[in-house]
Amino acid sequence: MKELTITTPIIEATLDELSAEDRALVEEARRQTATSYAPYRRFHVGAAIRLDNGEIVAGSNQENAAFPSGLCAERTAAFYAHARYPEAKFETIAIAAVGTDGLELRDPIAPCGACRQSLLEYETLATHDVRVILTARDRVFILPSVRSTLPLAFSEF
Ligand code: THU
């Protein structure tokens, strides 16, 4: 018997430490929180994905009275990105959230498990790591890959 340890490397940075490209992605994710349809939870999430064709595709959470029928921001953005540009590979995703108090979260927003699993599939398609930027009010967490957000992910391969 032996113990195995899985570690998740995270870079914590302030916004002004980001490249202009990453800052633009974070700003787009933040802007997208305003397009969220969240009358039930009043928790507004925005996601922006930069593709290797230079396009940025963004989305927000969309809720529904028939509760499980809604969708998180990350999957709204990811599914649309691949539907719109099926040949393009994901490069980086940024996620931002505004809580019920109307303010951006104090701590970086973390995607739910289902979104991590969905994003992982696009990382596999990309055949390279897809960086993940989790945004808070005054700082971000940068993860090197989707895989690093979902240890022991399901895979048939
Ligand atoms: N939500 C997201 O958009 N992304 C996540 O990763 C977790 C949760 C949404 C779903 C729901 O509309 C609201 O945030 C609160 O759960």
Side-chain angles (χ1 to χ4, degrees):
M1 202 187 299
K2 64 177 175 178
E3 182 177 299
L4 305 172
T5 304
I6 300 173
T7 57
T8 305
I10 300 176
I11 292 173
E12 183 177 36
T14 57
L15 273 167
D16 52 306
E17 288 175 313
L18 298 183
S19 66
E21 213 179 28
D22 283 348
R23 214 167 23 244
L25 202 65
V26 166
E27 279 160 12
E28 185 54 33
R30 284 177 164 171
R31 259 195 301 279
Q32 282 299 315
T33 61
T35 71
S36 148
Y37 174 64
Y40 305 103
R41 303 297 302 273
R42 303 196 181 285
F43 186 83
H44 306 278
V45 186
I49 298 168
R50 192 172 55 242
L51 303 171
D52 69 348
N53 63 5
E55 297 287 342
I56 291 179
V57 176
S60 54
N61 55 324
Q62 302 294 317
E63 296 185 344
N64 192 275
F67 185 60
S69 306
L71 196 61
C72 293
E74 297 89 329
R75 276 176 288 163
T76 302
F79 294 164
Y80 181 57
H82 197 257
R84 177 74 180 84
Y85 300 108
E87 306 302 327
K89 296 178 173 180
F90 289 20
E91 294 265 326
T92 306
I93 178 167
I95 305 159
V98 169
T100 50
D101 58 2
L103 299 173
E104 189 165 9
L105 299 198
R106 204 182 301 276
D107 294 316
I109 167 85
C112 77
C115 286
R116 295 178 200 205
Q117 183 73 42
S118 292
L119 290 169
L120 185 64
E121 188 116 354
Y122 296 106
E123 179 168 83
T124 305
L125 280 178
T127 63
H128 60 231
D129 289 349
V130 174
R131 295 163 64 245
V132 181
I133 303 177
L134 311 178
T135 307
R137 233 172 266 182
D138 57 353
R139 67 204 158 103
V140 297
F141 281 176
I142 306 169
L143 291 111
S145 62
V146 176
R147 195 170 10 96
S148 70
T149 72
L150 190 61
L152 303 179
F154 171 74
S155 169
E156 288 186 5
F157 310 111

